[in-house]
Amino acid sequence: MVGGRRFRPGGGFGRQLDEYETRVGVPPPSESPTPPAGGLVDSAVYIRGHRFASPSGLAETYRCLQEQDSAMAWIGLYRPDIEQITSLAREFRLHDLAVEDAINAHQRPKLERYGETLFVVLRAARYDDLREEVEFSELHLFIGPGFVVTVRHGEAPDLAAVRRRMEVEAQMLARGPEAVLYAILDQVVDGYAPVVAGLENDIDEIETQVFGGDPNASRRIYGLSREVIQFQRAARPLLAVLDALADGAGSADTDEELRRYLRDVTDHLTQVVERVDGFRHLLQNILTVNATLVSQQQNEEMRSLTAASYAQNEELKKVSSWAAILFAPTLIGTVYGMNFVHMPELHWRFGYLFALLLMLLVCGTLYLIFKRRGWL
């Protein structure tokens, strides 16, 4: 019996406990994926994999952790303020550079060791079905002797699910802070699967748009390519983090069970990275095909426009030709219609016939010229 609570031996990894014993302190709050405000979301102290206490604040957590031997604290924060981060840094002797990264966020996935403390940055992702967009969020972890601190700067991942699963699998949780780290890594990588499915569905829709001649396809291709690149930046560096942990960056004496767990996470992440790489190449090919189809469509439109312009020019030639032919008799008639007294042809007996023949000759000559040139 520890602190008024009896502990049952663990039932093995993956085996659910029959029931929880009565806990000391306040009931544990729910580490929901979308907390209403920033700050402390959940804090718990565990002994041999079982929740011993649920402190309501950081000071109480520190005190409980100091009073119990072989205890582990798991503190969950959501967009904390500087005072909370400073308090944690002072209590657990966190490095200034890691604290600065946790405050400022906007980091790429990485793993750094500061003495006995690991600082891990993860980029979680989730697919929004309504907006058909990928949302990315940042998660920072401080892993040290007897403590785990998670700092979320977004809605994902659902750490409440990780905590519930680990509390049920007490034997796994009893392996210490590294077990929590691997469980969170697994949750982040598992969260990539729906994103991959959503992106794959978007690519299928884009292919339909491209071959359907949708003019908005190019814009969507560029937008989806940007999401795929961001996904690559979130997932690919995580492989280096997992490789470093497998090489002993976490702890040289990590037991074999956790190493198997880590290799499984690495396998899943490798599949995700390979599929995302394939998405990027596929989108590049789709963009090339779309550019080709757009070019073909523009060529067809140019040919149609050229044909219409040619037909218009032909009609204009005909109109111009007939206008020139009709202008000739009009000019002759205008000359002989002038009211001058001294005009030789006015009193000539054959003057009228001469004017008509002249008009006919000019019109016939112009008709033959335009006909030979193909204007008529």
Side-chain angles (χ1 to χ4, degrees):
M1 180 178 297
V2 181
R5 177 184 171 186
R6 293 174 299 167
F7 288 90
R8 285 190 297 249
F13 179 65
R15 179 179 176 183
Q16 186 173 0
L17 296 177
D18 296 332
E19 61 181 3
Y20 287 111
E21 297 290 352
T22 303
R23 293 178 172 84
V24 177
V26 297
S30 173
E31 190 170 347
S32 62
T34 55
L40 181 64
V41 179
D42 194 1
S43 178
V45 175
Y46 298 92
I47 297 180
R48 293 194 293 274
H50 297 270
R51 186 186 282 253
F52 171 76
S54 301
S56 58
L58 293 179
E60 186 179 350
T61 303
Y62 304 153
R63 184 171 58 256
C64 184
L65 190 62
Q66 293 171 357
E67 292 174 353
Q68 301 297 328
D69 296 332
S70 302
M72 181 190 73
W74 183 351
I75 302 171
L77 301 173
Y78 177 78
R79 293 177 179 171
D81 53 36
I82 296 180
E83 293 182 0
Q84 291 172 321
I85 293 292
T86 303
S87 174
L88 290 167
R90 186 167 48 249
E91 177 67 23
F92 297 121
R93 298 180 181 179
L94 306 179
H95 197 277
D96 293 341
L97 294 178
V99 172
E100 182 180 355
D101 289 343
I103 294 174
N104 297 330
H106 304 295
Q107 302 291 321
R108 298 190 68 180
K110 63 179 181 179
L111 181 147
E112 296 178 349
R113 171 172 286 280
Y114 298 98
E116 295 183 339
T117 303
L118 281 180
F119 176 63
V120 183
V121 178
L122 305 177
R123 295 276 292 175
R126 70 185 184 99
Y127 187 81
D128 190 331
D129 291 321
L130 295 178
R131 296 187 300 169
E132 294 186 340
E133 293 181 355
V134 181
E135 296 180 354
F136 298 93
S137 57
E138 197 164 325
L139 173 65
H140 298 174
L141 296 93
F142 295 93
I143 311 295
F147 70 89
V148 177
V149 178
T150 59
V151 181
R152 280 191 299 154
H153 291 276
E155 311 307 325
D158 184 5
L159 295 184
V162 179
R163 191 185 290 267
R164 287 194 299 268
R165 185 177 52 145
M166 294 297 288
E167 288 182 351
V168 169
E169 298 168 350
Q171 186 173 350
M172 184 66 176
L173 185 58
R175 298 178 186 274
E178 287 187 352
V180 177
L181 171 61
Y182 297 146
I184 294 175
L185 286 169
D186 184 52
Q187 180 73 13
V188 171
V189 174
D190 285 347
Y192 290 160
V195 178
V196 171
L199 291 175
E200 187 173 18
N201 182 68
D202 288 344
I203 292 176
D204 292 339
E205 292 179 356
I206 285 179
E207 290 178 340
T208 303
Q209 284 182 277
V210 168
F211 291 103
D214 191 339
N216 296 321
S218 297
R219 182 184 299 273
R220 191 174 183 188
I221 292 173
Y222 279 114
L224 190 57
S225 297
R226 184 173 60 252
E227 291 183 350
V228 169
I229 292 174
Q230 291 177 342
F231 196 11
Q232 282 184 313
R233 292 174 178 173
R236 180 171 289 279
L238 190 53
L239 284 174
V241 173
L242 292 172
D243 290 340
L245 289 172
D247 293 339
S251 176
D253 57 350
T254 302
D255 60 56
E256 187 59 30
E257 185 67 21
L258 289 181
R259 293 185 183 275
R260 294 193 191 99
Y261 189 85
L262 178 62
R263 286 193 292 268
D264 181 68
V265 175
T266 304
D267 291 340
H268 292 171
L269 180 60
T270 302
Q271 295 175 9
V272 169
V273 171
E274 290 175 351
R275 294 190 66 182
V276 175
D277 291 343
F279 288 164
R280 186 169 184 181
H281 294 305
L282 183 58
L283 284 171
Q284 291 175 348
N285 294 334
I286 292 176
L287 186 60
T288 302
V289 171
N290 182 67
T292 302
L293 294 176
V294 170
S295 178
Q296 291 177 352
Q297 183 179 2
Q298 290 176 344
N299 291 338
E300 291 294 334
E301 293 176 353
M302 288 298 297
R303 280 196 291 267
S304 300
L305 184 60
T306 302
S309 178
Y310 177 78
Q312 186 177 8
N313 290 336
E314 292 299 317
E315 294 296 327
L316 185 59
K317 288 179 181 180
K318 293 180 180 180
V319 173
S320 301
S321 300
W322 285 114
I325 292 172
L326 295 175
F327 176 73
T330 303
L331 178 61
I332 296 173
T334 302
V335 172
Y336 286 99
M338 294 186 292
N339 296 322
F340 292 104
V341 176
H342 301 288
M343 292 187 67
E345 293 85 359
L346 290 179
H347 302 286
W348 185 31
R349 177 182 296 181
F350 301 103
Y352 177 70
L353 181 60
F354 174 77
L356 292 179
L357 290 175
L358 182 60
M359 292 179 187
L360 182 61
L361 178 62
V362 174
C363 290
T365 302
L366 291 175
Y367 178 82
L368 292 175
I369 293 174
F370 293 141
K371 188 69 175 179
R372 179 172 294 181
R373 292 186 177 181
W375 287 28
L376 292 176

